[in-house]
Amino acid sequence: MADRRGLLLCLICGPSHRFGLANFRSRCCCWRAVCCCLLAGTLLAIVGMLVASAQRLRFARGPAMVAIVVGLLASGYLLSWIARARAAPPIHEISTDLADPPAFVVVAALRRDAHAVNPSEYVSRVSAPGGRIIEVPELQRQRYPDIQPLHLGLAPAAALQAAQRAAQRLGCRSMPTCPAMDASRRPTAAPSSASRTTWWCGCAPADAGSRLDVRSKSRVGLSDVGANARRVRAFLKLMESN
């Protein structure tokens, strides 16, 4: 029974948050309940099967084994997710430019409509549980030193088109729905060198070609479990390979 309840919670807690039926805090509590139910159910199933086998009782061995395997796989996935969450730094946004992070433009309105808890503006200092202050840029430099602006040997217009293609390959069907990525207009010395803007990244002229900056931010939560760093790395890697 506990196994079934755990699997049921596992199936509903993700979509319930996705469609706005539960907030982020409720979803986290639900995941904890899922893990407890799955572990308890799997343990009870193992103990029950061992006891029944020792007493030579007849029982449906096949379904019992399937339930145990499913419970172990689901529990292992949840535990690995918890381990990743503990290992990730407690920050929820990543930027290639930490001195002047790209400012959200179009996505800012979308985030407001989605009732995002974390503000659209880049927040360099956040409060952690216990009153600890986290210096976000410094922590990113320590944990993600490889995330840097990308310099391309392309004109801004060509770099922008390449960035759009890369975003589409990563699953962004349209720019406004690309998760937590936006762009900023960067001022330049001459009007002829004006920066180009997309929904999710900023592309500005450089000495030889273009410089591409990306910023990704979660709508809720103190930690993103490393998701924004993975998203930015995947985008930059795809751009480098083109």
Side-chain angles (χ1 to χ4, degrees):
M1 181 64 72
D3 239 1
R4 293 177 182 176
R5 289 176 179 173
L7 289 174
L8 180 60
L9 285 171
C10 188
L11 290 174
I12 67 174
C13 68
S16 66
H17 178 260
R18 172 64 179 84
F19 294 105
L21 301 177
N23 59 29
F24 182 76
R25 188 182 299 272
S26 298
R27 189 186 69 166
C28 290
C29 293
C30 187
W31 278 120
R32 296 189 188 100
V34 167
C35 193
C36 291
C37 286
L38 285 173
L39 288 173
T42 303
L43 180 60
L44 288 174
I46 294 173
V47 171
M49 190 177 69
L50 292 175
V51 170
S53 298
Q55 296 180 357
R56 300 182 183 279
L57 300 176
R58 297 181 62 182
F59 66 95
R61 187 178 300 272
M65 290 297 298
V66 170
I68 290 172
V69 170
V70 171
L72 289 174
L73 290 175
S75 300
Y77 171 77
L78 289 175
L79 289 174
S80 68
W81 189 89
I82 292 172
R84 290 198 304 270
R86 288 182 175 274
I91 55 178
H92 53 253
E93 68 177 305
I94 295 293
S95 174
T96 53
D97 188 343
L98 296 173
D100 184 17
F104 288 166
V105 178
V106 177
V107 170
L110 299 177
R111 289 170 64 90
R112 286 194 298 271
D113 293 341
H115 306 290
V117 176
N118 296 327
S120 297
E121 297 78 17
Y122 185 88
V123 181
S124 60
R125 306 182 75 203
V126 297
S127 298
R132 182 167 60 98
I133 301 299
I134 298 173
E135 301 288 344
V136 177
E138 183 60 29
L139 189 54
Q140 179 184 321
R141 292 188 186 98
Q142 293 174 5
R143 301 298 295 273
Y144 306 120
D146 59 303
I147 295 181
Q148 301 288 338
L150 181 62
H151 295 272
L152 302 169
L154 300 171
L160 195 58
Q161 292 177 357
Q164 291 171 340
R165 291 192 297 268
Q168 291 170 356
R169 288 183 60 184
L170 289 175
C172 300
R173 290 175 296 177
S174 61
M175 295 310 165
T177 62
C178 189
M181 289 189 177
D182 199 347
S184 66
R185 294 186 182 275
R186 299 298 183 87
T188 53
S192 60
S193 302
S195 303
R196 302 297 297 269
T197 302
T198 70
W199 302 94
W200 38 267
C201 68
C203 183
D207 292 338
S210 304
R211 166 176 159 160
L212 191 68
D213 281 303
V214 182
R215 178 176 164 225
S216 182
K217 181 169 187 172
S218 302
R219 290 182 299 168
V220 294
L222 175 64
S223 173
D224 60 8
V225 198
N228 288 305
R230 289 192 295 272
R231 185 177 299 131
V232 170
R233 281 170 172 160
F235 176 77
L236 295 176
K237 183 177 181 180
L238 191 56
M239 287 295 297
E240 287 178 332
S241 64
N242 290 336

